[in-house]
Amino acid sequence: MDRVALRGLKARGYHGVFPEERREGQTFVVDLVLGLDTRPAAADDDLAKTVHYGIVAEEVVAVVKGEPVNLIETLAARIAQACLKHEGVKEVEVTVHKPDAPITVPFDDVTVTITRSRV
């Protein structure tokens, strides 16, 4: 399986379990690795035979900006579902970064990574 990766998609969302997270929001960063067969697209040099990563990026940002959830695990699952709606995508790895998580000690990042595939 071939891979198409998008790294560092950024959007403001209102996800979290604390009221201030829901009220003030914060920036979330998403990395994606889409698994698909790119041979038909490469053979014909045809965008219609692969995944349009610009559209995927817009859809992922819309999920992050959309309905708030408590957990970034839930957010990652929703992003994976959106990616798998694209016909050619057979598998997706989603990493959601929450660099401004409400943690009381110094840290660089909090991430959740999931992998989902068509069953």
Side-chain angles (χ1 to χ4, degrees), residues 58-73:
E58 291 171 0
E59 292 171 353
V60 168
V61 165
V63 171
V64 174
K65 290 180 173 182
E67 181 185 348
V69 297
N70 289 331
L71 304 176
I72 58 175
E73 292 87 342

Side-chain angles (χ1 to χ4, degrees), residues 21-117:
E21 292 180 289
R22 294 293 184 102
R23 185 176 55 252
E24 298 169 18
Q26 60 193 288
T27 299
F28 292 85
V29 182
V30 178
D31 300 326
L32 302 173
V33 180
L34 308 171
L36 63 152
D37 183 359
T38 63
R39 289 175 292 190
D44 295 337
D45 199 28
D46 186 354
L47 177 61
K49 294 183 179 180
T50 188
V51 64
H52 190 308
Y53 51 79
I55 291 173
V56 171
E58 291 171 0
E59 292 171 353
V60 168
V61 165
V63 171
V64 174
K65 290 180 173 182
E67 181 185 348
V69 297
N70 289 331
L71 304 176
I72 58 175
E73 292 87 342
T74 306
L75 182 59
R78 288 185 177 179
I79 291 168
Q81 289 170 349
C83 293
L84 288 170
K85 287 181 181 177
H86 292 267
E87 184 179 327
V89 177
K90 305 298 183 207
E91 181 179 272
V92 62
E93 179 184 279
V94 178
T95 301
V96 175
H97 301 257
K98 190 174 180 179
D100 299 320
I103 297 175
T104 61
V105 297
F107 73 102
D108 288 330
D109 199 5
V110 172
T111 66
V112 169
T113 300
I114 65 168
T115 302
R116 298 292 184 267
S117 59

